[in-house]
Amino acid sequence: MLFHGTPGSRLGPVPRAMRLHASGIRLLTFDRPGFGESDRQVGRSVASVAADAAAVADALGIERFAVLGRSGGGPHALACAALLPDRVTRAAAMVALAPRDAMGSAWFVGMTSGNVESYTRALTDPAALRRDLDERAASIRADPASLLANIDAGLEPTDRAVIRQANIRQELIVSFAAAVAHSADGWYDDSLALAAPWGFDPADIEVPVYLWHGAEDRFSPVSHTRWLGERIPRATVDLEPRASHFSALLRMPQVIAWSGARVSWDAAVALGG
């Protein structure tokens, strides 16, 4: 079960269907509340996603499953691992944030100025954040490629190299457009939830966890994954030099294979090397 970024949607980016088929993996993903075609859930926390994931699995007759989240989806995957211990087999989080309240002031260190401003508004002036995200969502609806243009100043050269790949760029644009097709509700609620207490302790996760992060990431700094890796009991941390935030899209197929593979833990870790 794959949890999309912020903003993002069920439409991607995801590995190609033939690659998933060859791996024998069934990939499930859905819009979090307020994104795309999903109804809004006012006041949701990161922990709230566990009930949604369980409902999706129940509807499809799936008892046990692995989870993977990228960027803003990372904490949501960890929530499922912590709160659905009898159903989640293993969890992976790529370029994820750590809990702000637990990490303290270090949470903002190394983060792009735009993200610092947005998350600070989430804490101190939610109305101003809402106005900003409404404007940005309207711009995306008018020109779906505008979000990539607006974040360009925060991109590392490694990010730009990834986004220049035509298929990835198109998948991101489609995902962003679907995310805010009706409103900025999901983007706003995700921002509030990520900056607020998550509703669970990552240290309570008992299943194997794989944490991947590009060392040059400034959207969600690598220190967040280091923090998580020090506290999640069965975590393996893979910090890749000369990689950044969007590099996760290139590594995702390997991590999905690890999540779904029935192999030993040591062999699984090698997939992320």
Side-chain angles (χ1 to χ4, degrees):
M1 191 173 292
L2 174 65
F3 298 88
H4 61 72
T6 306
S9 75
R10 71 194 186 284
L11 299 182
V14 298
R16 297 192 180 279
M18 288 302 297
R19 185 164 189 172
L20 293 170
H21 178 74
S23 301
I25 291 172
R26 182 184 185 187
L27 185 65
L28 308 176
T29 186
F30 59 90
D31 296 331
R32 281 194 295 282
F35 285 111
E37 300 304 316
S38 288
D39 295 335
R40 187 181 186 191
Q41 182 184 357
V42 178
R44 64 179 169 89
S45 67
V46 173
S48 301
V49 78
D52 295 333
V56 169
D58 288 345
L60 296 171
I62 297 170
E63 181 60 31
R64 289 173 59 75
F65 51 94
V67 293
L68 164 64
R70 181 183 63 83
S71 191
H76 293 85
L78 297 178
C80 294
L83 300 173
L84 301 172
D86 296 331
R87 304 194 68 173
V88 171
T89 57
R90 51 177 60 188
M94 307 183 73
V95 295
L97 293 168
R100 184 204 55 80
D101 58 323
M103 198 171 176
S105 59
W107 199 76
F108 291 103
V109 174
M111 190 180 288
T112 61
S113 58
N115 276 11
V116 170
E117 182 178 357
S118 291
Y119 285 122
T120 299
R121 284 180 172 178
L123 296 167
T124 62
D125 193 352
L129 175 64
R130 182 72 212 215
R131 290 191 297 271
D132 176 58
L133 295 183
D134 282 343
E135 291 176 2
R136 294 170 70 182
S139 296
I140 293 170
R141 285 192 290 273
D143 176 10
S146 64
L147 180 58
L148 291 178
N150 290 337
I151 66 174
D152 187 72
L155 294 177
E156 299 298 318
T158 42
D159 277 331
R160 291 193 178 96
V162 173
I163 291 176
R164 277 200 299 267
Q165 296 185 31
N167 62 315
I168 290 178
R169 187 176 187 86
Q170 183 59 29
E171 288 177 343
L172 286 170
I173 290 171
V174 168
S175 180
F176 294 153
V180 298
H182 302 295
S183 73
D185 286 346
W187 196 354
Y188 175 72
D189 291 338
D190 250 22
S191 299
L192 297 183
L194 291 168
W198 286 0
F200 69 96
D201 186 345
D204 292 337
I205 299 174
E206 298 178 355
V207 300
V209 175
Y210 184 84
L211 302 172
W212 184 95
H213 216 117
E216 298 178 352
D217 192 348
R218 294 201 301 128
F219 289 99
S220 48
V222 68
S223 56
H224 289 235
T225 281
R226 290 194 179 101
W227 189 96
L228 290 167
E230 290 170 357
R231 288 159 179 83
I232 298 174
R234 299 179 66 186
T236 292
V237 178
D238 185 357
L239 306 181
E240 184 172 339
R242 297 178 300 282
S244 46
H245 196 73
F246 288 96
S247 303
L249 298 175
L250 303 180
R251 305 293 176 264
M252 189 185 297
Q254 292 173 302
V255 179
I256 289 176
W258 169 82
S259 300
R262 295 179 179 177
V263 294
S264 71
W265 174 241
D266 289 340
V269 171
L271 292 172

PDB file of all heavy atoms in Angstrom, residues 214-230:
ATOM      1  N   GLY A 214      17.823  10.800   0.574  1.00  0.00           N
ATOM      2  CA  GLY A 214      18.914  11.422  -0.153  1.00  0.00           C
ATOM      3  C   GLY A 214      19.609  12.437   0.738  1.00  0.00           C
ATOM      4  O   GLY A 214      18.956  13.294   1.342  1.00  0.00           O
ATOM      5  N   ALA A 215      20.925  12.348   0.830  1.00  0.00           N
ATOM      6  CA  ALA A 215      21.676  13.179   1.773  1.00  0.00           C
ATOM      7  C   ALA A 215      21.602  14.671   1.451  1.00  0.00           C
ATOM      8  O   ALA A 215      21.833  15.504   2.330  1.00  0.00           O
ATOM      9  CB  ALA A 215      23.136  12.736   1.802  1.00  0.00           C
ATOM     10  N   GLU A 216      21.257  15.027   0.194  1.00  0.00           N
ATOM     11  CA  GLU A 216      21.217  16.437  -0.204  1.00  0.00           C
ATOM     12  C   GLU A 216      19.810  17.037  -0.132  1.00  0.00           C
ATOM     13  O   GLU A 216      19.600  18.174  -0.557  1.00  0.00           O
ATOM     14  CB  GLU A 216      21.773  16.584  -1.622  1.00  0.00           C
ATOM     15  CG  GLU A 216      23.239  16.162  -1.750  1.00  0.00           C
ATOM     16  CD  GLU A 216      23.762  16.262  -3.175  1.00  0.00           C
ATOM     17  OE1 GLU A 216      22.957  16.519  -4.091  1.00  0.00           O
ATOM     18  OE2 GLU A 216      24.983  16.078  -3.367  1.00  0.00           O
ATOM     19  N   ASP A 217      18.861  16.293   0.409  1.00  0.00           N
ATOM     20  CA  ASP A 217      17.458  16.745   0.466  1.00  0.00           C
ATOM     21  C   ASP A 217      17.325  17.973   1.363  1.00  0.00           C
ATOM     22  O   ASP A 217      17.822  17.997   2.489  1.00  0.00           O
ATOM     23  CB  ASP A 217      16.603  15.602   1.031  1.00  0.00           C
ATOM     24  CG  ASP A 217      15.110  15.838   0.868  1.00  0.00           C
ATOM     25  OD1 ASP A 217      14.701  16.958   0.541  1.00  0.00           O
ATOM     26  OD2 ASP A 217      14.359  14.871   1.058  1.00  0.00           O
ATOM     27  N   ARG A 218      16.607  18.990   0.855  1.00  0.00           N
ATOM     28  CA  ARG A 218      16.317  20.171   1.679  1.00  0.00           C
ATOM     29  C   ARG A 218      14.815  20.378   1.883  1.00  0.00           C
ATOM     30  O   ARG A 218      14.412  21.240   2.654  1.00  0.00           O
ATOM     31  CB  ARG A 218      16.924  21.428   1.037  1.00  0.00           C
ATOM     32  CG  ARG A 218      18.434  21.418   1.008  1.00  0.00           C
ATOM     33  CD  ARG A 218      19.026  22.809   0.861  1.00  0.00           C
ATOM     34  NE  ARG A 218      18.589  23.464  -0.357  1.00  0.00           N
ATOM     35  CZ  ARG A 218      18.054  24.692  -0.419  1.00  0.00           C
ATOM     36  NH1 ARG A 218      17.845  25.371   0.696  1.00  0.00           N
ATOM     37  NH2 ARG A 218      17.714  25.220  -1.567  1.00  0.00           N
ATOM     38  N   PHE A 219      13.984  19.598   1.226  1.00  0.00           N
ATOM     39  CA  PHE A 219      12.543  19.687   1.479  1.00  0.00           C
ATOM     40  C   PHE A 219      12.204  18.999   2.796  1.00  0.00           C
ATOM     41  O   PHE A 219      11.486  19.546   3.630  1.00  0.00           O
ATOM     42  CB  PHE A 219      11.756  19.072   0.313  1.00  0.00           C
ATOM     43  CG  PHE A 219      11.802  19.902  -0.930  1.00  0.00           C
ATOM     44  CD1 PHE A 219      12.680  19.600  -1.954  1.00  0.00           C
ATOM     45  CD2 PHE A 219      10.971  20.999  -1.076  1.00  0.00           C
ATOM     46  CE1 PHE A 219      12.729  20.381  -3.110  1.00  0.00           C
ATOM     47  CE2 PHE A 219      11.003  21.783  -2.223  1.00  0.00           C
ATOM     48  CZ  PHE A 219      11.894  21.475  -3.240  1.00  0.00           C
ATOM     49  N   SER A 220      12.693  17.788   2.968  1.00  0.00           N
ATOM     50  CA  SER A 220      12.632  17.116   4.267  1.00  0.00           C
ATOM     51  C   SER A 220      14.068  16.687   4.579  1.00  0.00           C
ATOM     52  O   SER A 220      14.562  15.704   4.020  1.00  0.00           O
ATOM     53  CB  SER A 220      11.685  15.912   4.229  1.00  0.00           C
ATOM     54  OG  SER A 220      11.932  15.095   3.116  1.00  0.00           O
ATOM     55  N   PRO A 221      14.756  17.427   5.428  1.00  0.00           N
ATOM     56  CA  PRO A 221      16.194  17.207   5.633  1.00  0.00           C
ATOM     57  C   PRO A 221      16.521  15.795   6.122  1.00  0.00           C
ATOM     58  O   PRO A 221      15.719  15.140   6.805  1.00  0.00           O
ATOM     59  CB  PRO A 221      16.554  18.258   6.689  1.00  0.00           C
ATOM     60  CG  PRO A 221      15.523  19.330   6.520  1.00  0.00           C
ATOM     61  CD  PRO A 221      14.266  18.601   6.160  1.00  0.00           C
ATOM     62  N   VAL A 222      17.710  15.337   5.779  1.00  0.00           N
ATOM     63  CA  VAL A 222      18.138  13.984   6.103  1.00  0.00           C
ATOM     64  C   VAL A 222      18.193  13.750   7.609  1.00  0.00           C
ATOM     65  O   VAL A 222      18.085  12.601   8.072  1.00  0.00           O
ATOM     66  CB  VAL A 222      19.508  13.702   5.443  1.00  0.00           C
ATOM     67  CG1 VAL A 222      20.607  14.544   6.076  1.00  0.00           C
ATOM     68  CG2 VAL A 222      19.831  12.219   5.480  1.00  0.00           C
ATOM     69  N   SER A 223      18.311  14.809   8.395  1.00  0.00           N
ATOM     70  CA  SER A 223      18.334  14.655   9.855  1.00  0.00           C
ATOM     71  C   SER A 223      17.049  14.020  10.377  1.00  0.00           C
ATOM     72  O   SER A 223      17.052  13.362  11.429  1.00  0.00           O
ATOM     73  CB  SER A 223      18.548  16.015  10.532  1.00  0.00           C
ATOM     74  OG  SER A 223      17.543  16.939  10.124  1.00  0.00           O
ATOM     75  N   HIS A 224      15.949  14.181   9.650  1.00  0.00           N
ATOM     76  CA  HIS A 224      14.682  13.585  10.076  1.00  0.00           C
ATOM     77  C   HIS A 224      14.738  12.057  10.023  1.00  0.00           C
ATOM     78  O   HIS A 224      14.269  11.380  10.940  1.00  0.00           O
ATOM     79  CB  HIS A 224      13.544  14.107   9.202  1.00  0.00           C
ATOM     80  CG  HIS A 224      13.211  15.542   9.446  1.00  0.00           C
ATOM     81  ND1 HIS A 224      11.949  15.976   9.764  1.00  0.00           N
ATOM     82  CD2 HIS A 224      13.982  16.658   9.426  1.00  0.00           C
ATOM     83  CE1 HIS A 224      11.945  17.285   9.932  1.00  0.00           C
ATOM     84  NE2 HIS A 224      13.175  17.722   9.711  1.00  0.00           N
ATOM     85  N   THR A 225      15.317  11.521   8.965  1.00  0.00           N
ATOM     86  CA  THR A 225      15.449  10.070   8.869  1.00  0.00           C
ATOM     87  C   THR A 225      16.457   9.552   9.879  1.00  0.00           C
ATOM     88  O   THR A 225      16.277   8.464  10.448  1.00  0.00           O
ATOM     89  CB  THR A 225      15.811   9.662   7.435  1.00  0.00           C
ATOM     90  OG1 THR A 225      14.617   9.696   6.638  1.00  0.00           O
ATOM     91  CG2 THR A 225      16.406   8.270   7.362  1.00  0.00           C
ATOM     92  N   ARG A 226      17.519  10.298  10.118  1.00  0.00           N
ATOM     93  CA  ARG A 226      18.459   9.883  11.170  1.00  0.00           C
ATOM     94  C   ARG A 226      17.738   9.788  12.515  1.00  0.00           C
ATOM     95  O   ARG A 226      17.939   8.841  13.284  1.00  0.00           O
ATOM     96  CB  ARG A 226      19.625  10.872  11.271  1.00  0.00           C
ATOM     97  CG  ARG A 226      20.594  10.836  10.097  1.00  0.00           C
ATOM     98  CD  ARG A 226      21.873  11.569  10.445  1.00  0.00           C
ATOM     99  NE  ARG A 226      22.845  11.537   9.360  1.00  0.00           N
ATOM    100  CZ  ARG A 226      23.067  12.547   8.524  1.00  0.00           C
ATOM    101  NH1 ARG A 226      22.373  13.678   8.657  1.00  0.00           N
ATOM    102  NH2 ARG A 226      23.969  12.450   7.570  1.00  0.00           N
ATOM    103  N   TRP A 227      16.901  10.777  12.814  1.00  0.00           N
ATOM    104  CA  TRP A 227      16.148  10.787  14.073  1.00  0.00           C
ATOM    105  C   TRP A 227      15.245   9.557  14.156  1.00  0.00           C
ATOM    106  O   TRP A 227      15.201   8.868  15.176  1.00  0.00           O
ATOM    107  CB  TRP A 227      15.323  12.070  14.162  1.00  0.00           C
ATOM    108  CG  TRP A 227      14.660  12.321  15.476  1.00  0.00           C
ATOM    109  CD1 TRP A 227      15.117  13.103  16.502  1.00  0.00           C
ATOM    110  CD2 TRP A 227      13.390  11.778  15.918  1.00  0.00           C
ATOM    111  NE1 TRP A 227      14.227  13.081  17.551  1.00  0.00           N
ATOM    112  CE2 TRP A 227      13.158  12.280  17.219  1.00  0.00           C
ATOM    113  CE3 TRP A 227      12.451  10.936  15.345  1.00  0.00           C
ATOM    114  CZ2 TRP A 227      12.012  11.961  17.953  1.00  0.00           C
ATOM    115  CZ3 TRP A 227      11.316  10.600  16.070  1.00  0.00           C
ATOM    116  CH2 TRP A 227      11.102  11.108  17.353  1.00  0.00           C
ATOM    117  N   LEU A 228      14.510   9.278  13.084  1.00  0.00           N
ATOM    118  CA  LEU A 228      13.621   8.119  13.073  1.00  0.00           C
ATOM    119  C   LEU A 228      14.414   6.820  13.226  1.00  0.00           C
ATOM    120  O   LEU A 228      14.011   5.911  13.968  1.00  0.00           O
ATOM    121  CB  LEU A 228      12.821   8.083  11.778  1.00  0.00           C
ATOM    122  CG  LEU A 228      11.754   9.169  11.597  1.00  0.00           C
ATOM    123  CD1 LEU A 228      11.274   9.203  10.146  1.00  0.00           C
ATOM    124  CD2 LEU A 228      10.570   8.942  12.539  1.00  0.00           C
ATOM    125  N   GLY A 229      15.543   6.741  12.542  1.00  0.00           N
ATOM    126  CA  GLY A 229      16.347   5.527  12.581  1.00  0.00           C
ATOM    127  C   GLY A 229      16.903   5.210  13.955  1.00  0.00           C
ATOM    128  O   GLY A 229      17.123   4.043  14.289  1.00  0.00           O
ATOM    129  N   GLU A 230      17.117   6.246  14.740  1.00  0.00           N
ATOM    130  CA  GLU A 230      17.642   6.046  16.097  1.00  0.00           C
ATOM    131  C   GLU A 230      16.563   5.554  17.062  1.00  0.00           C
ATOM    132  O   GLU A 230      16.879   5.082  18.148  1.00  0.00           O
ATOM    133  CB  GLU A 230      18.236   7.354  16.621  1.00  0.00           C
ATOM    134  CG  GLU A 230      19.522   7.763  15.905  1.00  0.00           C
ATOM    135  CD  GLU A 230      19.952   9.174  16.261  1.00  0.00           C
ATOM    136  OE1 GLU A 230      19.206   9.843  17.026  1.00  0.00           O
ATOM    137  OE2 GLU A 230      21.016   9.610  15.791  1.00  0.00           O
TER     138      GLU A 230
END
